[in-house]
Amino acid sequence: MENVIKIREAFTETFIILNELSLYNRLPNEFKKIIESNYDSNYKFSFNKDIPLFNQINNDITRNLITYIYINYINKDNNQFFENEINNILNEANN
């Protein structure tokens, strides 16, 4: 039961985040239907554009959904691989 709640919360958080960022319309209608059918109107989540996104998300399912959506639907115009940025991230993790 706890996992079902966590999934519904993840879809709710994803819906709120994407709408706040005006990105929800980039999703295919089929995906929107899945999100909306799992949306929990009783769950309250607020998103602040001034705070880094992943600092506001504790739910791993939400993180995975947002990452998947970003890669497949939002960042379609930028297919470049930035090796230097990846190396910086890895170096920071090692410090």
Side-chain angles (χ1 to χ4, degrees):
M1 180 71 170
E2 183 179 319
N3 200 32
V4 172
I5 293 170
K6 192 172 180 180
I7 291 169
R8 291 182 60 83
E9 289 175 353
F11 278 109
T12 304
E13 292 173 357
T14 300
F15 178 83
I16 291 168
I17 291 165
L18 293 177
N19 275 294
E20 287 290 322
L21 296 174
S22 300
L23 297 171
Y24 189 69
N25 288 330
R26 291 194 185 186
L27 301 181
N29 288 331
E30 299 81 22
F31 198 176
K32 288 182 199 176
K33 288 178 186 176
I34 293 169
I35 292 172
E36 291 165 11
S37 68
N38 287 287
Y39 184 88
D40 181 357
S41 60
N42 295 318
Y43 175 66
K44 303 301 177 206
F45 174 78
S46 60
F47 173 69
N48 184 338
K49 293 179 187 178
D50 297 326
I51 299 172
L53 174 64
F54 276 18
N55 290 352
Q56 300 179 64
I57 302 172
N58 294 322
N59 187 329
D60 291 337
I61 299 169
T62 305
R63 287 176 184 255
N64 291 338
L65 277 170
I66 294 292
T67 302
Y68 173 82
I69 290 167
Y70 180 78
I71 290 169
N72 290 291
Y73 302 109
I74 295 171
N75 196 35
K76 296 302 271 182
D77 299 332
N78 186 4
N79 292 324
Q80 299 177 14
F81 175 73
F82 296 99
E83 185 176 358
N84 290 339
E85 290 180 24
I86 298 297
N87 287 334
N88 288 339
I89 292 169
L90 295 175
N91 286 336
E92 286 179 17
N94 287 329
N95 293 331

